[in-house]
Amino acid sequence: PHKRCHVLLKSFKRLLHDYPDAVLLLVGEDLMDVGNLIATLGLARSVILTGFVPPADVIKYLAIADFCVNLRYPTAGETGASVLRIMAAKKSVIVSDVGWFSEIPDDCCLKVTVDSDEEDLLLAYMEALAANAGMRKVIGENAQGWVERDHDPDIIAQEFYRYIRSVVDGDEIVMTQVSEA
């Protein structure tokens, strides 16, 4: 339920009014009986449930996607690895405006507030991205650049190493910060 599929499916159903040939790919295992909701909403002809996809094959789905939606609420405060993969693939993505996702620069994604207007805002963003390839391109390029600058695995690994090394070496400033946290 934290992936907000019910919100996505309801918004997508409304999107079909203006884009009747649109197809929604739901990539991953259906652990919440989303298939039943798809049937209830009459979306069986427009939604494809992939089932489990090995991580190496996710890039194939990203390659055919015009844009992605990756909603989360509530979150556990985690960094969204799947969102980073989407952004690294130069794809526009719509995310929930909560937790870490709120920290993503505004020019790198579209953010949906989790409130009574969530479904309407998601629809508006999907319509904008569906209608505007230039917008998708700019957001995707910004996203990829941000991931490359701020989430380079080699740099992150070095930062972790330096931090762990300072704790192991007894850096009192770091130890005090850890204790306070």
Side-chain angles (χ1 to χ4, degrees):
H2 72 284
K3 292 186 179 182
R4 316 292 292 157
C5 285
H6 62 289
V7 172
L8 173 58
L9 289 169
K10 289 175 184 176
S11 294
F12 180 73
K13 181 173 179 151
R14 294 168 56 197
L15 179 77
L16 289 172
H17 293 326
D18 291 328
Y19 297 91
D21 295 329
V23 174
L24 175 64
L25 290 171
L26 289 177
V27 179
E29 243 180 302
D30 181 7
L31 301 174
M32 297 302 302
D33 197 21
V34 174
N36 188 42
L37 181 56
I38 291 167
T40 300
L41 292 172
L43 294 173
R45 298 182 77 217
S46 300
V47 178
I48 297 171
L49 285 170
T50 66
F52 173 78
V53 175
D57 291 343
V58 170
I59 195 74
K60 295 174 185 174
Y61 288 101
L62 286 173
I64 62 172
D66 290 320
F67 61 88
C68 300
V69 178
N70 196 298
L71 305 178
R72 293 284 186 279
Y73 183 79
T75 72
E78 73 280 7
T79 298
S82 60
V83 171
L84 290 175
R85 281 192 289 277
I86 290 166
M87 296 171 81
K90 205 187 278 190
K91 293 294 177 175
S92 297
V93 63
I94 303 169
V95 299
S96 298
D97 193 6
V98 296
W100 170 82
F101 304 96
S102 296
E103 298 174 19
I104 300 171
D106 292 340
D107 65 343
C108 297
C109 67
L110 298 172
K111 299 174 187 173
V112 176
T113 53
V114 181
D115 60 15
S116 60
D117 296 323
E118 179 181 20
E119 188 180 314
D120 293 334
L121 185 55
L122 177 57
L123 173 62
Y125 283 160
M126 289 192 302
E127 287 174 334
L129 290 172
N132 192 331
M135 179 183 187
R136 294 192 306 266
K137 183 176 188 254
V138 168
I139 293 171
E141 288 172 350
N142 292 343
Q144 184 184 50
W146 178 70
V147 170
E148 288 172 352
R149 281 187 315 276
D150 288 23
H151 293 277
D152 179 294
D154 292 332
I155 293 170
I156 301 296
Q158 290 170 13
E159 289 173 359
F160 269 107
Y161 174 79
R162 281 194 299 274
Y163 177 77
I164 292 167
R165 185 83 254 158
S166 67
V167 171
V168 169
D169 289 345
D171 183 334
E172 290 188 30
I173 294 171
V174 171
M175 292 303 289
T176 300
Q177 291 170 345
V178 170
S179 296
E180 289 172 358

